[in-house]
Amino acid sequence: GENVEQHPSTLSVQEGDSAVIKCTYSDSASNYFPWYKQELGKRPQLIIDIRSNVGEKKDQRIAVTLNKTAKHFSLHITETQPEDSAVYFCAAREGGNKLVFGAGTILRVKS
Amino acid sequence: GAVVSQHPSRVICKSGTSVKIECRSLDFQATTMFWYRQFPKQSLMLMATSNEGSKATYEQGVEKDKFLINHASLTLSTLTVTSAHPEDSSFYICSASDRFYGYTFGSGTRLTVV
């Protein structure tokens, strides 16, 4: 089955700086890669996603890149703000429509 | 947009008792429901996948007789934790899937077994 690895586990940045979180996946058949933001005790919120036929997608301060050959995808947050502080999870959709999640990254934006 | 209502949000139960968690898709029909468990400071771990009207498919290591899943209709799925023990204390969250909305998560249930 699919295996998703996520790095780093924690990331501290200064307000206004950029943050990058990276994930790798193992199943070349995976075709959908969402990113979620989760605050303590809350449900994961989809912040951006990308499909395997696209290499990059951007939504305001958030962007995702996908390298299918290398089987890795990354989340880029620019101009970080304190409210960006949360846990971020990447995921990959494998056969059977299942989402397999990475281990998560705790992002702290220091003001 | 799509909404999945999950109840209860918090439950405390005594060891040995059973707890039922309910997820309803309010404005769409969920062809598939995924049930996850999340321990503190950990990721979401898929427990089982259920499709309406058929038996759930459990992930390796998840006891199907302990975690009973019922998906009787396209808008309702339930997870029953039977004979709960303290080690079952966790955050349980459902995710409904359909072709139009993708994945919609419930708000989660914090289960504490004492």
Side-chain angles (χ1 to χ4, degrees), chain A residues 32 34 36 38 40-46 87 89-90 93-94 96-104 106, chain B residues 3-4 32 34 36 38 41-46 49 59 91 93 95 97-98 103-108 110:
Chain A
Y32 173 67
Y36 291 91
Q38 188 181 31
L40 191 63
K42 302 282 182 68
R43 78 186 84 196
Q45 289 183 299
L46 179 68
V87 181
F89 292 98
C90 63
R93 180 174 64 191
E94 62 168 37
N97 214 26
K98 293 192 292 186
L99 285 183
V100 177
F101 285 82
I106 300 171
Chain B
V3 175
V4 171
T32 304
F34 301 96
Y36 293 89
Q38 187 176 31
K41 298 185 180 181
Q42 292 189 25
S43 187
L44 286 82
M45 299 303 296
L46 182 65
T49 303
E59 295 299 302
F91 188 61
I93 190 163
S95 174
S97 169
D98 82 323
Y103 303 87
T104 304
F105 285 87
S107 53
R110 173 73 58 194

Side-chain angles (χ1 to χ4, degrees), chain A residues 9-111:
Chain A
S9 56
T10 61
L11 179 59
S12 290
V13 300
Q14 203 66 35
E15 182 178 359
D17 287 351
S18 295
V20 180
I21 303 171
K22 299 182 178 182
C23 288
T24 60
Y25 60 100
S26 60
D27 188 350
S28 56
S30 291
N31 60 7
Y32 173 67
F33 308 92
W35 284 90
Y36 291 91
K37 175 183 181 182
Q38 188 181 31
E39 297 177 350
L40 191 63
K42 302 282 182 68
R43 78 186 84 196
Q45 289 183 299
L46 179 68
I47 56 171
I48 197 165
D49 57 11
I50 192 166
R51 299 185 186 276
S52 58
N53 58 348
V54 176
E56 184 174 356
K57 184 176 177 181
K58 189 174 181 181
D59 182 5
Q60 299 183 342
R61 297 187 296 110
I62 297 172
V64 56
T65 58
L66 171 65
N67 183 326
K68 278 198 306 180
T69 303
K71 288 189 278 191
H72 66 67
F73 55 113
S74 300
L75 176 70
H76 304 253
I77 305 174
T78 59
E79 300 171 29
T80 53
Q81 301 165 5
E83 51 266 37
D84 293 330
S85 297
V87 181
Y88 290 81
F89 292 98
C90 63
R93 180 174 64 191
E94 62 168 37
N97 214 26
K98 293 192 292 186
L99 285 183
V100 177
F101 285 82
T105 297
I106 300 171
L107 174 63
R108 295 192 185 96
V109 181
K110 297 175 286 186
S111 56

Side-chain angles (χ1 to χ4, degrees), chain B residues 16-82:
Chain B
T17 61
S18 296
V19 172
K20 181 183 281 189
I21 301 169
E22 182 179 285
C23 277
R24 288 183 184 273
S25 53
L26 297 185
D27 46 9
F28 69 104
Q29 294 183 326
T31 50
T32 304
M33 190 72 79
F34 301 96
W35 286 94
Y36 293 89
R37 178 168 51 183
Q38 187 176 31
F39 291 109
K41 298 185 180 181
Q42 292 189 25
S43 187
L44 286 82
M45 299 303 296
L46 182 65
M47 299 175 66
T49 303
S50 73
N51 294 295
E52 182 261 341
S54 60
K55 288 185 178 181
T57 302
Y58 290 82
E59 295 299 302
Q60 194 171 9
V62 177
E63 299 175 57
K64 63 179 182 179
D65 294 329
K66 181 170 182 61
F67 299 99
L68 302 179
I69 291 172
N70 185 283
H71 195 159
S73 75
L74 284 171
T75 59
L76 175 63
S77 180
T78 61
L79 166 68
T80 301
V81 183
T82 64

